[in-house]
Amino acid sequence: MNLPEVNVSCEELYRMLYAPIKAKLMMSGIELNVFNQLSEPKSAEEVAKEIRGQSRNTMLFLNGLAACGLIEKHNGLYRNAPIAQAFLVEGSPSYLGEGFAHQASMTDAMLANLTKMIREGPPAKPPEDDADPQKWSQFASWMANNERAGIAQQMSELISLQPEFASFRKMLDLGGGPGIFGISMVAKHPTMRGVIFDRKPVVEVAERFIKEYGMEDRMEVLAGDYNLDPIGEGYDLIWASATLNFARENMDSVMKKIYEALNPGGLFVNLSEGLTDEGTKPDFYVLCTVGWAMNGPMMAFEQGFIADAMLNAGFRSVRSRTLRTGWGPMDIDIARK
């Protein structure tokens, strides 16, 4: 028998095949509140008792979580690795478990008929998809912890380092969701005031966080659809993050609206994905957006799309770079009026 000559390793294919097991282990850990138990070292037997698990399978499950790097095992005792302690312990302001559960179920639903969608195209859009206020309110609540798990701190620091920052008097968090970005940026400034603009069910969530952070005297909300409604005026800074995909087919109009809402010398700063390599990189965004792109018309942005739209709207300069964030590699475009 002559075996084929093979000059590459198939290990990566096996890693892809078994990758869903990591996700299932993590999601079961969230569902069973395992990470809540492991802020301090515990044995498998102790954990099994807490989660009402079978002793042997709990031990195998914990070993699997350790293999994923989510927990650590020393001398038979398990405890959270730093990443799990920071993001998977329920009750923490940076807890991501609820949002991950939502994302996992949404991804499963979107890709359930992947082969069929490849052959036949996107399914009919559910009529309640964009109209359900509860959906938008829940999504904003989930997003709050995603934002305060590090990226809001990173972006507010970046904004505070802009040379114009000290002179800012008023900012807009456009499509701001729960408002964590806007709240964080206003908190960095001694006097600047902020407005959070989003759909009505969403700004009701933002009002809760404004109150939670004691920012009622400096923050307000404005409800509407930025594709259709006025967004206010007299801003020195307008911030947008992962939201302008909803304006892709209306970009010139929305960008002009943003331009006109800024004071002379004002900044518009946008944070979004930027696909490169003919739409194949970064792999993080290609993979996490393929489901919703196949299910409807909303597509991820190619790198440079937002910057070009800024220049077309009349901004005198645009500076762009790619940043490493907790949400993966993202493009930041800073436009000056």
Side-chain angles (χ1 to χ4, degrees):
M1 180 180 69
N2 293 322
L3 294 175
E5 183 176 336
V6 179
N7 298 317
V8 294
S9 172
C10 60
E11 178 185 354
E12 185 61 26
L13 298 178
Y14 282 103
R15 289 191 177 277
M16 291 174 66
L17 178 66
Y18 296 131
I21 297 174
K22 288 186 174 183
K24 287 184 178 296
L25 288 167
M26 180 178 73
M27 296 312 302
S28 289
I30 291 168
E31 182 181 352
L32 293 168
N33 295 319
V34 165
F35 304 106
N36 294 5
Q37 311 298 328
L38 293 177
S39 293
E40 299 296 333
K42 289 185 178 178
S43 67
E45 290 75 14
E46 289 175 303
V47 175
K49 184 178 179 180
E50 293 288 346
I51 67 171
R52 292 178 296 179
Q54 194 267 346
S55 181
R56 179 175 178 274
N57 279 0
T58 298
M59 181 268 291
L60 294 172
F61 170 59
L62 294 175
N63 285 350
L65 290 176
C68 295
L70 294 176
I71 64 175
E72 300 168 348
K73 183 179 183 181
H74 297 291
N75 299 321
L77 299 180
Y78 301 87
R79 71 180 302 168
N80 288 332
I83 192 169
Q85 187 63 31
F87 302 120
L88 298 179
V89 176
E90 197 171 15
S92 163
S94 56
Y95 174 63
L96 298 178
E98 187 178 12
F100 282 177
H102 168 68
Q103 291 290 332
S105 64
M106 187 169 64
T107 299
D108 287 345
M110 287 191 299
L111 297 179
N113 297 306
L114 178 58
T115 301
K116 183 178 180 181
M117 285 193 295
I118 293 168
R119 288 177 170 158
E120 301 178 9
K125 189 177 183 182
E128 74 281 359
D129 187 51
D130 286 335
D132 183 0
Q134 186 178 7
K135 183 198 79 166
W136 288 102
S137 177
Q138 287 178 338
F139 185 74
S141 298
W142 290 323
M143 280 304 297
N145 282 11
N146 282 269
E147 292 176 5
R148 55 187 176 184
I151 193 167
Q153 298 89 322
Q154 180 185 7
M155 294 302 119
S156 59
E157 179 68 17
L158 182 149
I159 293 296
S160 72
L161 294 175
Q162 299 307 306
E164 302 93 341
F165 184 69
S167 67
F168 289 165
R169 299 183 303 277
K170 183 181 178 184
M171 77 158 289
L172 172 68
D173 188 350
L174 183 68
I180 302 300
F181 282 110
I183 291 168
S184 180
M185 291 171 189
V186 168
K188 280 277 189 181
H189 196 286
T191 59
M192 182 171 68
R193 301 179 64 84
V195 178
I196 300 165
F197 184 100
D198 214 311
R199 299 176 183 228
K200 187 175 187 301
V202 175
V203 296
E204 290 172 356
V205 175
E207 286 179 312
R208 297 205 310 263
F209 286 103
I210 289 171
K211 189 172 183 179
E212 177 181 325
Y213 284 97
M215 299 287 284
E216 297 99 321
D217 60 334
R218 296 178 62 190
M219 300 289 301
E220 59 185 287
V221 302
L222 182 61
D225 179 343
Y226 58 67
N227 280 290
L228 304 172
D229 301 318
I231 62 173
E233 59 185 4
Y235 301 112
D236 301 298
L237 166 68
I238 296 179
W239 164 265
S241 62
T243 184
L244 289 184
N245 306 80
F246 294 104
R248 188 183 183 99
E249 303 305 319
N250 194 31
M251 186 60 68
D252 289 344
S253 173
V254 170
M255 195 64 73
K256 197 67 176 178
K257 186 184 294 188
I258 292 168
Y259 179 85
E260 292 171 353
L262 280 167
N263 291 326
L267 266 64
F268 172 42
V269 183
N270 180 75
L271 180 73
S272 67
E273 75 284 351
L275 301 185
T276 64
D277 296 82
E278 302 181 55
T280 66
K281 301 291 182 183
D283 62 342
F284 184 95
Y285 275 100
V286 175
L287 296 175
C288 76
T289 62
V290 68
W292 52 259
M294 282 191 175
N295 275 272
M298 194 166 67
M299 300 286 288
F301 288 124
E302 293 185 1
Q303 192 171 78
F305 181 90
I306 295 294
D308 287 345
M310 289 170 161
L311 292 171
N312 291 339
F315 285 97
R316 61 183 171 87
S317 70
V318 178
R319 296 290 181 268
S320 305
R321 59 187 170 122
T322 301
L323 301 175
R324 183 178 179 181
T325 77
W327 293 357
M330 299 192 76
D331 286 356
I332 189 99
D333 297 297
I334 302 176
R336 288 179 163 84
K337 183 173 178 179

